[in-house]
Amino acid sequence: MAAGVAAWLPFARAAAIGWMPVASTPMPPPPREKRRGQDGLIILNVSGSRFQTWRNTLERYPDTLLGSTERDFFFHEESNEYFFDRDPDIFRHILNFYRTGKLHYPRHECISAYDEELAFFGIIPEIIGDCCYEEYKDRRRENTERIQDDEENENSKDMVPPDMSFRETMWRAFENPHTSTMALVFYYVTGFFIAVSVMANVVETVPCRSEQNRAKEVSCGERYSVAFFCLDTACVMIFTVEYLLRLIAAPSRYKFVKSVMSIIDVVAIMPYYIGLVMSDNEDVSGAFVTLRVFRVFRIFKFSRHSAGLRILGYTLKSCASELGFLLFSLTMAIIIFATVMFYAEKGSTSSKFTSIPAAFWYTIVTMTTLGYGDMVPKTIMGKIFGSICSLSGVLVIALPVPVIVSNFSRIYHQSQRAEKRRAQKASKQAGQALVCKTNPTFETQHHHLLHCLEKTTNHEFVDEQTYETSCMEVSLAKASMSRSSSMSSSPHGLSSCCTRRNKRKSFNVPNSNMVAGRRGSIQELSTIQIRERPVNNSRSSLNAKFEETVPLNSEEQSYITAAVISMPTPPVTTPESGALGNCPDFLQSNIVRVSAL
Amino acid sequence: MEEGEGEGLQTLAIVLLLCGALKLLHTLGLISTEDRVCDDLELSVVCHRPEALDLLEAQSNFNRKELQVLYRGFKNECPSGVVNEETFKQIYSQFFPHGDASTYAHYLFNAFDSSQSGSIKFEDFITALSILLRGTTTEKLQWTFNLYDINKDGYINKEEMTDIVKAIYDMMGRFTYPALKTDTTKQHVDAFFQKMDKNRDGVVTLDEFILSCQEDENIMRSLQLFENVI
């Protein structure tokens, strides 16, 4: 698509003749065409497989190996071809990228081999087309995870680097109990005390026969209250010490405090302390009893000891939306059947179905095939609907559970695909933008075309903020005629079409210092030309470099730019994700950076 | 029969009635549960081949190499060999992201599509480009006149010109400096007619147009602007 649209630019420029008679001001001079190289065939010999293509095809993407002068290093004089000692099967896809503008990922290829080839030929993987992008990302993630797992396994067996501080040692001991004997002991001790604490909570509610043979049975907790209190105190001591030690040892205390495990720890030990503080206050004793419920959260501390529990928790968390949907549809069914049952049973005497909410209980019990029997319909209609309800309950819940599970898995992946695509879009566009900065000729010509349009209408492209400021000023200046609308003097001239997007680009940093000098010269020269407004940020001046208003600089500028572009700096892509949101393809990104010079 | 039974029967009757109504509507096709996307198959795949290279070379002002390059680009973008208006608008709009280029693209399409067939073939493309890039100034002005004359009646009246100018301003988009006022278009059209309409009869004929343009230095110069586009 990119190459194709670029092919239509000559037509668009020719069609601009249609504006000429309407134009109110003279047109800007066209950019000087660089000498057009002869469009010849290039032979690319990749490990014996000969590929041929037009030179222009390769030069569509000047910041890749094949599109730049870097390929001259691979020129083989004897056979008058370019020889690459690489994989010809993967090269086919790379060459297709030049031809069609879309990079595809072949499923049967190994992801590392493919990545290597892409890196060799200077192509960023983010421009892989939508059809293959997901597959590519999935495979890549699997690969990284596999590598990470391998590394982790290796690391855990490694000797501890001797220069670790005591704090780091402690943290490592907490996270990996197998590193040292002390850590293992600590691990088992805490596990034991968790179990003891939970058991104590359970046992203290069991009724024990009282000594004095009273009629009322008391729970063990009340009978041996002192013993249980001591046990509880001991457990809480251990837990508190453990929590404090973890807090001290954590590399990032703030992150540790925010983590789930630490919250569970806190919730597990807080009731005890609150109870200590509030034990004599009668008013809140009810709340105190409720707090004891939270002691059961100690069982969640086991998740540090059990990886399976963690996985389950993570799975539930990630499937939360699907489970919610399941619950919602069940609720709908329950409401429908409850309503129907209520109205069916409305007339019968001494009916237990006193209201629709009362019928909810019957519906749930029937649909899950529990059938307690505390509520039964008496009328014929009620029985008919009741049987329909239980049958549908069986169908809805019991029988297609595997089907539902697989359905939800499919729905989950489908919705995740949209999420993934959205998440990937950002990095995709960032990557595409890095590749998109190509073909300076196209850009100059496109700028010239837009400039002609500006001249025709005698208005300039500005961005939103400048537009609004100018609107405000116009309304302010209605009283005073001080502001002239001349283009030359106005500071609004500093804006360009792409200011809004470019302001957020951190890419400015490497360019800004070398552009700052240029800006001055651009300004000087620009007063001679029809274009009067300088550009205010480096991105548009990046384009301005290719403008022939700066002919003396164009050669070296383009060289510098090429060097800059060929550094795909990963940190650049992420913050730009928002800024580059409007650059889904090659052409769009060029348009974004049009300066209205 | 108890009263409750009656009510229960009523409920049953209503439910059955609703189901029956839904089924009826479904059979009538007023509601559909499946997507009908798969039914709309693109049955017609138009494929057009241009005339022989020699013929085109004779008809236009391009040489063989230029025609080859042009056709390769054209074919790459439109493998079927024709461009319909939608595609044309999309392509043209990509060059003008700030505003809405569809109206102007529509007029442009009509100007390119000399046979008014609804699609641009490669021959139409070449004919127009030949005039625009390699034609004489008179031919270029004729082509432009044809572009402005929306209803192709040989006269440009104020409405047509207003439409054209408005379409051009639409391409600028909302955020311009100075801000677009409501009468910007009208002023522009009036200025145009002031210059072009010699006999002040409210319409511009081809001769008036060509004459007025030839008098204007700026226009003459700008017509030569895109000579070396190919």
Side-chain angles (χ1 to χ4, degrees), chain B:
Chain B
M1 202 157 61
E2 284 185 42
E3 203 184 302
E5 303 281 346
E7 280 201 33
L9 276 171
Q10 278 174 15
T11 324
L12 182 63
I14 291 171
V15 167
L16 284 174
L17 215 62
L18 272 173
C19 292
L22 282 172
K23 188 73 190 161
L24 186 67
L25 285 172
H26 184 70
T27 8
L28 285 180
L30 291 172
I31 353 174
S32 62
T33 43
E34 321 86 26
D35 295 308
R36 294 270 169 91
V37 180
C38 39
D39 294 349
D40 304 328
L41 271 177
E42 287 285 333
L43 289 172
S44 56
V45 179
V46 181
C47 190
H48 177 84
R49 295 209 162 69
E51 297 175 20
L53 192 53
D54 298 331
L55 217 59
L56 277 179
E57 196 186 347
Q59 284 173 358
S60 70
N61 302 333
F62 293 114
N63 60 25
R64 282 184 89 89
K65 270 212 170 304
E66 290 169 338
L67 283 173
Q68 283 176 340
V69 169
L70 278 170
Y71 186 67
R72 285 205 292 265
F74 184 83
K75 181 87 178 169
N76 227 358
E77 186 57 20
C78 316
S80 59
V82 293
V83 189
N84 59 7
E85 190 164 340
E86 269 313 304
T87 323
F88 187 85
K89 279 185 182 170
Q90 272 174 21
I91 293 172
Y92 200 71
S93 302
Q94 297 216 350
F95 293 110
F96 302 99
H98 302 272
D100 175 27
S102 52
T103 335
Y104 188 72
H106 168 75
Y107 296 135
L108 211 53
F109 185 84
N110 286 341
F112 267 71
D113 187 13
S114 43
S115 50
Q116 300 299 316
S117 58
S119 60
I120 301 182
K121 301 182 280 297
F122 185 62
E123 289 93 341
D124 301 327
F125 190 64
I126 288 299
T127 320
L129 275 186
S130 171
I131 296 175
L132 287 172
L133 299 176
R134 302 268 192 267
T136 64
T137 38
T138 320
E139 287 175 347
K140 290 181 189 175
L141 289 172
Q142 258 177 340
W143 189 90
T144 317
F145 184 86
N146 193 34
L147 171 68
Y148 294 162
D149 185 11
I150 299 176
N151 55 4
K152 313 278 182 255
D153 62 352
Y155 300 103
I156 305 178
N157 52 18
K158 278 225 162 138
E159 286 81 27
E160 289 172 339
M161 208 52 219
T162 315
D163 287 338
I164 295 276
V165 171
K166 189 169 175 318
I168 294 180
Y169 272 92
D170 280 344
M171 285 197 282
M172 291 292 297
R174 221 162 61 88
F175 304 121
T176 58
Y177 180 78
L180 290 170
K181 305 191 219 353
T182 37
D183 59 346
T184 314
T185 320
K186 189 174 177 313
Q187 280 178 0
H188 208 129
V189 174
D190 290 337
F192 179 82
F193 266 82
Q194 187 84 351
K195 196 161 62 167
M196 301 285 166
D197 192 9
K198 293 272 188 258
N199 56 2
R200 304 271 172 264
D201 58 352
V203 293
V204 178
T205 62
L206 180 61
D207 301 315
E208 284 177 344
F209 184 73
I210 295 180
L211 227 63
S212 320
C213 288
Q214 280 171 341
E215 287 167 8
D216 189 339
E217 269 287 314
N218 282 334
I219 296 181
M220 282 293 117
R221 198 174 30 236
S222 52
L223 282 179
Q224 316 299 327
L225 213 53
F226 298 107
E227 294 277 81
N228 49 355
V229 156
I230 296 293

Side-chain angles (χ1 to χ4, degrees), chain A residues 170 173-177 180-194 237-246 301 304-305:
Chain A
M170 233 183 9
F174 282 138
E175 293 298 296
N176 283 344
S180 69
T181 329
M182 267 308 294
L184 212 55
V185 164
F186 185 76
Y187 175 75
Y188 282 128
V189 162
T190 44
F192 173 71
F193 271 98
I194 294 171
M237 283 290 125
I238 302 274
F239 295 152
T240 318
V241 163
E242 180 206 354
Y243 181 71
L244 287 174
L245 281 179
R246 275 184 204 266
K301 284 167 71 71
R304 274 215 188 90
H305 295 73

Side-chain angles (χ1 to χ4, degrees), chain A residues 206-507:
Chain A
V206 172
C208 286
R209 220 171 311 126
S210 65
E211 294 166 354
Q212 291 90 344
N213 285 331
R214 274 181 290 183
K216 196 176 99 172
E217 279 190 353
V218 295
S219 62
C220 283
E222 285 171 24
R223 190 153 162 218
Y224 302 106
S225 56
V226 177
F228 276 107
F229 182 74
C230 293
L231 198 60
D232 206 21
T233 313
C235 293
V236 169
M237 283 290 125
I238 302 274
F239 295 152
T240 318
V241 163
E242 180 206 354
Y243 181 71
L244 287 174
L245 281 179
R246 275 184 204 266
L247 190 62
I248 293 171
S252 159
R253 298 215 173 102
Y254 180 60
K255 219 168 69 159
F256 174 73
V257 168
K258 280 200 304 183
S259 73
V260 174
M261 287 313 301
S262 101
I263 292 175
I264 290 177
D265 287 338
V266 167
V267 169
I269 60 182
M270 276 327 267
Y272 177 79
Y273 288 112
I274 295 178
L276 276 185
V277 167
M278 293 187 334
S279 52
D280 297 330
N281 201 335
E282 287 298 316
D283 295 335
V284 294
S285 59
F288 172 63
V289 167
T290 322
L291 271 180
R292 299 184 102 190
V293 170
F294 282 99
R295 290 193 301 175
V296 81
F297 271 76
R298 287 180 197 164
I299 207 170
F300 284 112
K301 284 167 71 71
F302 267 129
S303 55
R304 274 215 188 90
H305 295 73
S306 156
L309 212 60
R310 276 201 300 272
I311 290 173
L312 179 65
Y314 177 71
T315 313
L316 284 176
K317 196 167 65 153
S318 57
C319 281
S321 60
E322 276 63 48
L323 287 174
F325 170 70
L326 179 58
L327 216 59
F328 174 69
S329 59
L330 275 177
T331 313
M332 267 178 38
I334 287 170
I335 292 177
I336 290 173
F337 276 109
T339 314
V340 167
M341 286 307 298
F342 171 71
Y343 283 112
E345 284 286 302
K346 199 156 170 222
S348 81
T349 50
S350 72
S351 160
K352 288 234 175 59
F353 295 81
T354 49
S355 63
I356 294 184
F360 280 166
W361 176 242
Y362 170 75
T363 317
I364 293 173
V365 166
T366 312
M367 281 185 87
T368 53
T369 69
L370 280 174
Y372 288 136
D374 54 349
M375 277 165 88
V376 283
K378 292 199 176 54
T379 61
I380 297 178
M381 278 307 125
K383 286 180 181 160
I384 290 176
F385 283 120
S387 37
I388 295 175
C389 176
S390 67
L391 282 175
S392 62
V394 161
L395 285 169
V396 167
I397 294 174
L399 275 181
V401 162
V403 177
I404 288 180
V405 163
S406 75
N407 258 356
F408 273 124
S409 164
R410 185 176 54 82
I411 294 171
Y412 174 76
H413 283 302
Q414 256 179 9
S415 71
Q416 287 299 93
R417 205 166 291 152
E419 288 286 329
K420 261 197 278 183
R421 211 177 289 141
R422 237 173 288 140
Q424 288 164 0
K425 205 176 180 187
S427 65
K428 241 170 89 76
Q429 283 162 359
Q432 276 179 348
L434 283 175
V435 177
C436 289
K437 292 185 310 299
T438 59
N439 211 339
T441 330
F442 175 85
E443 283 195 36
T444 15
Q445 293 176 353
H446 191 215
H447 293 175
H448 179 249
L449 182 65
L450 286 170
H451 200 195
C452 285
L453 182 60
E454 284 182 336
K455 288 288 173 195
T456 312
T457 55
N458 215 2
H459 288 66
E460 297 155 8
F461 292 110
V462 296
D463 65 348
E464 201 168 332
Q465 296 142 325
T466 331
Y467 173 72
E468 271 150 30
T469 21
S470 73
C471 280
M472 284 193 304
E473 278 163 358
V474 161
S475 53
L476 281 174
K478 282 229 173 84
S480 65
M481 301 283 286
S482 51
R483 181 163 292 281
S484 71
S485 61
S486 75
M487 291 184 283
S488 51
S489 57
S490 130
H492 292 296
L494 289 175
S495 68
S496 67
C497 334
C498 38
T499 324
R500 167 179 41 172
R501 299 178 226 273
N502 296 331
K503 276 202 176 110
R504 282 178 268 164
K505 285 205 197 330
S506 55
F507 215 75

